[in-house]
Amino acid sequence: MELLDGVPPLGTEELLAEVDAAERELAAGEGPPAGTAPAGDEEGAARFEALIAADGKIEPRDWMPDGYRRSLIRQIAQHAHSEIMGMQPETNWISRAPSLARKAILIAKVQDEAGHGLYLYSVAESLGVSREWMLDELHAGRQKYLSFINYPTLTWADVGALAWLTDGAAVVNQVSLCRTSYGPYARALVRICKEESFHHRQGFDLLYALSRGTPEQRAMLQAAVDRWWYPALAMFGPPDHMSTHSAQSLAWRIKRATNDELRQRFVDICVPQARVLGVTLPDPALRWNAERGHHDFTPPDFEELKRVVAGNGPCNRQRLAHRRRAHEDGAWVREAAAAYAAKHGESREAAEPAPAGEAARAPERTDWPLWEVFVRPRRGLAHSHAGGLHAPDAAMALRNARDLYTRRGEGVSIWVLPAAGITASSPDEKDAFFDPAGDKVYRHPSFFELPEGVEHL
Amino acid sequence: MTAPMTTTGPDLRDYVLRLGDDALVAAQRVAGWCTRAPQFEEDVALANIALDLLGQARALLTYAGELEGLGRDEDALAFGRDEHEFRNVQLVELPDDDFATAIAKMLFFGVYQRLLYTGLSRAADPTLAGIAAKAAKETAYHVDHAVSWTLRLGDGTAESHRRMQAAVDHVWPYTHELFEPGPPPAAAGPGADPAALRGPWCREVEQVLAEATLRRPEDGWAPTGGRSGVHTEAFGHLLAEMQYVYRAHPGARW
Ligand SMILES: [Fe+2]
Ligand SMILES: [Fe+2]
Ligand SMILES: [Fe+2]
């Protein structure tokens, strides 16, 4: 791929810097309030409020209000579904990509989206719902996914416009989410954002090639941008005054910025990039407002957004039918793998996570158990937790973990453990468990002062 | 139908083109699973395999273009040739009717590719040897994946056993073409003689089938023609889809 001279930064530089900052924040730790007694609901609530107020992270086994849990499940499931459903409009062009290099890039990009979906499903599972349940909700139309996915990719240029605009919008959205209060979600988002910046950039690169191409290619480019501009703007959701979930999500620090703030930020990023592409953004009212220091623009048609969310976009029916068909066509394969694991001594019960939370798990399911994945990033470092996945048995779990968590060479060794086989310390016992270590300062070498001139000790 | 068999063997360009076409067409089929795999984890795995195959195809087609010296790059060869100019075996172009068919193809083709690439990694021609050495590692993973699934489908449920056996029976006749005799060009080295690969291939595949409680089909009907440009009906559709954007915009750059 050619790198572009004279192209202003895609906003990714700043955005990635924010991702790094969020990652450092995660590493710096929670800044825990001094909780005392084991938590009844009241104690738990107090600790939760204090953690949120201190901008700390909530972890899966912490006490949390039902509403917080429900909001997270709704948002993370919708996010995961969007990654998975969002593969369809792009996959539509894999078989027809006009160069082998573009075909490879597109496959890798769509594969990443599947990976994102998997990271996110496993985050949602840490809240006590099963992936199987989330998929049932998706297939039944009860849980949603982002509305732009319900628009068609009519030409090759749509592949680029979709990635430039909707992955671009997703980056803006998700970068702000990297600082979300739920720890596993924040960690997954840091990983996702780093990968997303490649998506965004390859889309721009694809369009840039068209912009320097034949008149037909340039016309294809403009038409695709015309199609994707408003679906991308609508990705930030309804305007703040109409948004039903926003206020509480902001207070709980699940969300970190309002829909309108993010939409504005996105428009400001896109305008100079559109100039480089030589395309006109389809909004006659779009202009720089020096007073505000932002671009004025026409917001998306939120009535259309409502119609599409309600199921009446151009491709809603087709996308859901495709997803359901893949799921149904694959049922015999999933059943076979589960049966094989049972026959060959890997008892399903051993690896089955205990049903928890609000998950409505029917008993006779053949869904595969959840595994936790630990990766050694390079020789000399310890394995650390990367995320979860589903597999019928350990051998397949290992194979899937390799594809999912080390695609970019992130590891030299992998452990997989059945999630149900992990025994964790309880957050309620946190103080009794860990505080006694707090006053044994003599265990740390820094406790001892060295006399002048002593080295290598 | 019988393939006209040359006695001198193909020159190196034709030979490399065969390998490239095999990998390209296999990649196109595997990539077709995207969003349709039985589980999301499998979507990710199949995409990896498609990317490996596509990478092999690009390296091989680029090299074939260089050997040819007519200025055709990987894209000109992939998108600019007609059906009868493609030299891939028919096995890789067979439609993946269901997941079992995809796995049967991956097993048979993968074991062949791994044996071949391992031999070719000692080729006198250093470019070919380099491509083969890298590809041998990738195919080892593809075989591993195909074996895992063959075992699980063959020895899973009654339904999966039935489907996997049907797929093996359906694909088996097309494996003969992989081993059609014909000496490889000298630069490819003796490790690349397809006829010599049939023995080790059979031993390995038969062992997997047995462990998967699957019956090894009888040898009989042996369709052929791919190496001389005679393909199945399905192949025309594959190419029509793959090539149309490139051909609709002659000379455009992407
Ligand atoms: Fe995304
Ligand atoms: Fe994504
Ligand atoms: Fe993306």
Side-chain angles (χ1 to χ4, degrees):
Chain A
M1 214 183 325
E2 292 169 57
L3 270 191
L4 319 167
D5 280 336
V7 177
L10 305 181
T12 3
E13 306 298 327
E14 297 98 316
L15 292 172
L16 281 178
E18 282 184 43
V19 174
D20 288 339
E23 193 175 23
R24 277 195 304 277
E25 245 176 68
L26 274 168
E30 55 185 283
T36 41
D41 270 15
E42 233 164 81
E43 299 288 347
R47 190 154 63 198
F48 174 86
E49 294 302 339
L51 262 174
I52 294 285
D55 220 351
K57 298 297 176 202
I58 307 299
E59 295 295 343
R61 294 161 59 85
D62 287 335
W63 185 93
M64 58 187 89
D66 264 356
Y68 178 84
R69 186 185 297 272
R70 269 199 309 274
S71 290
L72 275 174
I73 290 171
R74 184 186 56 80
Q75 178 171 335
I76 298 169
Q78 172 171 328
H79 191 169
H81 297 330
S82 300
E83 301 284 358
I84 294 296
M85 298 298 284
M87 294 164 70
Q88 286 186 39
E90 294 183 288
T91 297
N92 186 36
W93 283 91
I94 287 177
S95 64
R96 296 177 289 176
S99 81
L100 296 183
R102 293 286 177 203
K103 190 192 289 284
I105 292 167
L106 187 55
I107 294 172
K109 197 263 187 196
V110 171
Q111 180 191 41
D112 272 353
E113 306 298 8
H116 297 172
L118 291 177
Y119 307 155
L120 291 164
Y121 283 126
S122 80
V123 170
E125 287 184 286
S126 72
L127 291 159
V129 291
S130 70
R131 192 206 291 182
E132 200 72 8
W133 173 77
M134 287 182 273
L135 287 181
D136 287 348
E137 294 291 293
L138 169 67
H139 296 157
R142 285 188 297 268
Q143 282 178 353
K144 304 291 182 196
Y145 55 90
L146 286 168
S147 60
F148 81 85
I149 293 161
N150 294 310
Y151 290 84
T153 47
L154 299 179
T155 68
W156 170 249
D158 289 62
V159 171
L162 183 152
W164 173 46
L165 292 171
T166 73
D167 283 274
V171 172
V172 169
N173 226 332
Q174 293 172 8
V175 163
S176 105
L177 279 173
C178 285
R179 295 177 56 246
T180 186
S181 60
Y182 188 55
Y185 194 26
R187 290 189 287 274
L189 280 159
V190 165
R191 187 183 192 104
I192 288 173
C193 282
K194 289 182 176 177
E195 298 182 358
E196 286 294 347
S197 62
F198 141 66
H199 300 175
H200 180 216
R201 194 166 283 225
Q202 65 82 32
F204 185 86
D205 186 76
L206 187 165
L207 297 179
Y208 190 66
L210 297 180
S211 77
R212 294 179 305 165
T214 64
E216 290 78 15
Q217 285 175 305
R218 287 200 300 276
M220 187 192 288
L221 161 63
Q222 180 64 57
V225 169
D226 290 347
R227 275 193 286 277
W228 288 95
W229 175 248
Y230 277 113
L233 286 196
M235 283 174 71
F236 297 97
D240 294 346
H241 66 273
M242 284 166 58
S243 176
T244 41
H245 302 292
S246 269
Q248 182 62 72
S249 287
L250 283 166
W252 276 333
R253 304 195 189 198
I254 294 176
K255 270 178 85 155
R256 303 299 308 234
T258 73
N259 296 353
D260 287 333
E261 285 165 3
L262 293 171
R263 191 166 10 242
Q264 179 70 63
R265 185 175 188 180
F266 176 68
V267 171
D268 291 340
I269 289 174
C270 286
V271 170
Q273 294 171 7
R275 221 170 282 135
V276 174
L277 291 175
V279 290
T280 310
L281 295 172
D283 178 3
L286 183 68
R287 65 177 53 84
W288 178 250
N289 180 330
E291 224 166 279
R292 293 201 306 120
H294 290 292
H295 292 86
D296 292 336
F297 63 97
T298 311
D301 174 356
F302 293 108
E303 289 310 310
E304 175 177 333
L305 176 63
K306 271 195 222 159
R307 281 196 302 277
V308 178
V309 170
N312 294 317
C315 302
N316 295 61
R317 284 162 178 77
Q318 171 193 333
R319 299 278 187 250
L320 254 191
H322 180 94
R323 172 86 275 287
R324 285 199 203 104
R325 199 178 327 116
H327 191 71
E328 285 157 17
D329 288 353
W332 69 272
V333 176
R334 296 190 299 274
E335 282 160 19
Y340 179 89
K343 267 190 230 178
H344 292 264
E346 289 217 32
S347 129
R348 279 178 50 72
E349 289 72 38
E352 188 71 31
E358 20 182 88
R361 291 171 69 92
E364 297 292 326
R365 305 301 290 257
T366 51
D367 47 322
W368 298 340
L370 179 66
W371 301 75
E372 298 295 345
V373 179
F374 299 79
V375 174
R376 184 197 297 289
R378 52 191 160 79
R379 308 189 75 81
L381 293 182
H383 289 77
S384 63
H385 185 238
L389 55 77
H390 285 261
D393 52 53
M396 292 299 271
L398 209 48
R399 188 181 313 287
N400 293 340
R402 171 238 193 223
D403 292 336
L404 189 54
Y405 289 105
T406 63
R407 283 199 303 291
R408 289 179 167 78
E410 297 96 329
V412 296
S413 158
I414 300 175
W415 292 345
V416 291
L417 277 88
I422 293 177
T423 308
S425 65
S426 151
D428 294 345
E429 303 164 350
K430 178 177 178 303
D431 305 320
F433 217 67
F434 297 111
D435 281 2
D439 65 353
K440 315 278 193 302
V441 287
Y442 43 79
R443 281 183 175 136
H444 302 274
S446 54
F447 173 74
F448 304 95
E449 236 171 79
L450 286 186
E452 289 275 323
V454 176
E455 288 178 69
H456 311 300
L457 189 69
Chain B
M1 59 193 157
T2 45
M5 203 49 70
T6 56
T7 45
T8 53
D11 70 11
L12 187 59
R13 174 263 185 199
D14 286 353
Y15 185 77
V16 172
L17 198 57
R18 285 178 175 193
L19 302 179
D21 286 349
D22 279 352
L24 175 63
V25 176
Q28 180 80 356
R29 283 292 187 222
V30 176
W33 279 94
C34 204
T35 72
R36 299 198 299 120
Q39 185 83 323
F40 302 132
E41 280 83 354
E42 188 62 17
D43 259 311
V44 177
L46 291 177
N48 258 3
I49 292 171
L51 283 173
D52 285 344
L53 290 166
L54 190 52
Q56 294 166 15
R58 294 180 62 193
L60 290 161
L61 292 181
T62 298
Y63 188 39
E66 284 167 21
L67 290 167
E68 180 180 72
L70 298 176
R72 293 202 284 185
D73 63 7
E74 59 181 50
D75 290 333
L77 286 170
F79 299 104
R81 283 178 301 152
D82 291 338
E83 263 179 88
H84 67 91
E85 296 171 280
F86 275 80
R87 290 291 179 270
N88 56 282
V89 288
Q90 294 179 358
L91 169 75
V92 291
E93 71 200 42
L94 296 178
D96 289 355
D97 298 324
D98 68 355
F99 188 67
T101 310
I103 292 302
K105 286 168 61 188
M106 189 184 296
L107 176 68
F108 297 156
F109 180 60
V111 173
Y112 157 80
Q113 260 198 325
R114 202 201 58 226
L115 291 168
L116 181 69
Y117 282 139
T118 305
L120 284 177
S121 63
R122 296 186 298 273
D125 184 272
T127 307
L128 184 55
I131 296 172
K134 175 169 183 293
K137 278 187 220 159
E138 294 168 349
T139 24
Y141 175 78
H142 306 172
V143 170
D144 209 40
H145 194 75
V147 169
S148 300
W149 274 118
T150 303
L151 297 177
R152 282 160 182 77
L153 299 182
D155 193 16
T157 62
E159 163 79 350
S160 72
H161 179 86
R162 183 190 64 73
R163 283 178 178 256
M164 193 65 214
Q165 185 66 59
V168 165
D169 292 344
H170 166 56
V171 176
W172 187 267
Y174 293 89
T175 62
H176 294 289
E177 194 183 8
L178 293 168
F179 308 105
E180 271 173 4
D193 181 6
L197 301 179
R198 167 93 171 157
W201 183 89
C202 275
R203 273 193 296 283
E204 190 167 340
V205 164
E206 282 165 7
Q207 198 183 335
V208 176
L209 294 180
E211 202 188 328
T213 72
L214 294 163
R215 183 171 27 77
R216 176 217 195 273
E218 297 295 322
D219 294 323
W221 181 53
T224 180
R227 297 294 188 212
S228 55
V230 178
H231 294 280
T232 58
E233 285 184 345
F235 188 54
H237 295 270
L238 180 148
L239 283 193
E241 193 174 338
M242 186 174 86
Q243 297 179 333
Y244 112 83
V245 182
Y246 179 93
R247 290 192 176 210
H249 300 267
R253 292 171 49 81
W254 302 94

